[in-house]
Amino acid sequence: MSLTREQIEQLADHVEQAELQAHDITKITDDYPDMTFSDAYDVQWEIRRRKIERGARIVGMKMGLTSRAKMQQMGVETPIYGFLADYFERPDSGEIEMKDLIHPKVEAEIAFVTKAPLKGPGCHVGSVLAATDFVLPAVEIIDSRYRDFKFDLVSVIADNASSSRFVTGTRARNVHDVDLRNLGLVMEINGKVVELGAGAAVLGHPATSIAMLANMLGERGEEIPAGSVILSGAITAAVAVKAGDAVTLRAQDMGSVSMRFV
């Protein structure tokens, strides 16, 4: 660690206020160039602690930078994780208010909902499939708090992996009834296809991402609780949206999920 407890608390407040007030900031490594990955996760967990203290509920987790498209887009090579608070969730076919966001982008995902806890080390794909209650198509709305979406890996980890909103479909499927590796997804904005992808874009199989998350959390003595919603990672590149845009994700054999930005 290169940061003191006081610095971690100050950075957590700085980054979270940017999220809550929907204003951008410069990446925090500009001021703390020696920050480590451990420091960054300490900032993220402090933001999480503050939200819980104010009454927010943590409903799940997300994996980020898990697809080749996403890694290439952001110029990084290592997956990361963040948490999902209850107020991030929006209903299928609902509206998402732009005034609460800075410069949102949408990504196609597969969400896993757990029926048993998962804890590393040693968590593997089989463990994940056994602990999964069902899977759903999902759209994650990422919204980096950093100016012009420019950041490094340490900064984005501290910013809760750009988490802001997410929408899941309503057609739950048994994980054993869907070929998640070959599952095709189509993202449309205002009726026009903007992205195509398949489940294999996420580390070869989306369940691999969930196992990796459990093992990463295990390093902190944490686990994925039963009943968690886990966004396994972007299957497509992120696409910017603006007020008035209608977004629909169609997933093979899993129905669709849609939202409008207002």
Side-chain angles (χ1 to χ4, degrees):
M1 287 178 59
S2 65
L3 300 183
T4 65
R5 184 65 203 168
E6 182 180 12
Q7 288 172 322
I8 288 167
E9 292 174 357
Q10 289 172 346
L11 282 172
D13 182 64
H14 177 59
V15 174
E16 192 195 16
Q17 288 306 313
E19 178 234 322
L20 296 174
Q21 299 172 19
H23 68 79
D24 62 9
I25 56 178
T26 57
K27 68 181 191 293
I28 57 179
T29 51
D30 288 351
D31 296 317
Y32 295 92
D34 296 328
M35 269 186 75
T36 65
F37 290 117
S38 178
D39 291 328
Y41 277 116
D42 284 347
V43 172
Q44 181 190 124
W45 282 84
E46 173 61 16
I47 292 172
R48 174 182 173 137
R49 186 196 68 78
R50 288 169 181 236
K51 290 189 186 302
I52 293 170
E53 191 174 69
R54 291 197 303 270
R57 192 166 62 91
I58 304 305
V59 296
M61 301 288 289
K62 62 159 283 185
M63 284 290 273
L65 311 185
T66 53
S67 77
R68 291 186 184 88
K70 188 68 177 172
M71 290 180 189
Q72 184 177 13
Q73 186 180 20
M74 294 302 179
V76 297
E77 298 178 359
T78 310
I80 60 175
Y81 69 78
F83 64 84
L84 301 174
D86 50 4
Y87 70 90
F88 293 4
E89 188 169 12
R90 291 292 182 269
D92 187 14
S93 303
E95 294 183 342
I96 295 174
E97 296 192 351
M98 292 290 291
K99 68 176 178 59
D100 298 329
L101 305 171
I102 303 166
H103 39 208
K105 298 182 180 183
V106 291
E107 301 176 334
E109 307 233 1
I110 296 169
F112 288 64
V113 178
T114 59
K115 61 184 177 183
L118 283 164
K119 187 170 185 177
C123 183
H124 54 77
V125 169
S127 308
V128 173
L129 297 178
T132 299
D133 194 7
F134 53 87
V135 289
L136 297 162
V139 173
E140 184 181 14
I141 297 91
I142 59 170
D143 190 36
S144 173
R145 269 53 72 170
Y146 298 119
R147 194 156 298 149
D148 301 323
F149 250 92
K150 292 180 179 176
F151 50 74
D152 50 40
L153 205 52
V154 167
S155 293
V156 73
I157 290 168
D159 184 33
N160 194 24
S162 303
S163 306
S164 73
R165 301 289 182 268
F166 69 97
V167 184
T168 61
T170 56
R171 186 181 176 192
R173 296 297 308 275
N174 186 300
V175 72
H176 300 292
D177 294 338
V178 183
D179 182 359
L180 292 176
R181 186 192 304 274
N182 295 309
L183 179 77
L185 295 100
V186 180
M187 177 89 76
E188 300 173 0
I189 298 181
N190 304 324
K192 179 182 177 181
V193 174
V194 293
E195 287 289 335
L196 302 167
V202 178
L203 298 171
H205 191 292
T208 302
S209 173
I210 312 299
M212 185 178 292
L213 170 62
N215 291 328
M216 293 169 76
L217 291 174
E219 294 174 5
R220 293 187 70 100
E222 302 284 348
E223 67 179 19
I224 300 172
S228 295
V229 178
I230 312 294
L231 301 181
S232 55
I235 288 170
T236 62
V239 181
V241 288
K242 61 185 186 304
D245 282 348
V247 176
T248 300
L249 174 66
R250 304 186 193 281
Q252 178 184 355
D253 300 323
M254 294 179 71
S256 63
V257 55
S258 62
M259 68 226 65
R260 180 177 293 276
F261 290 82
V262 298

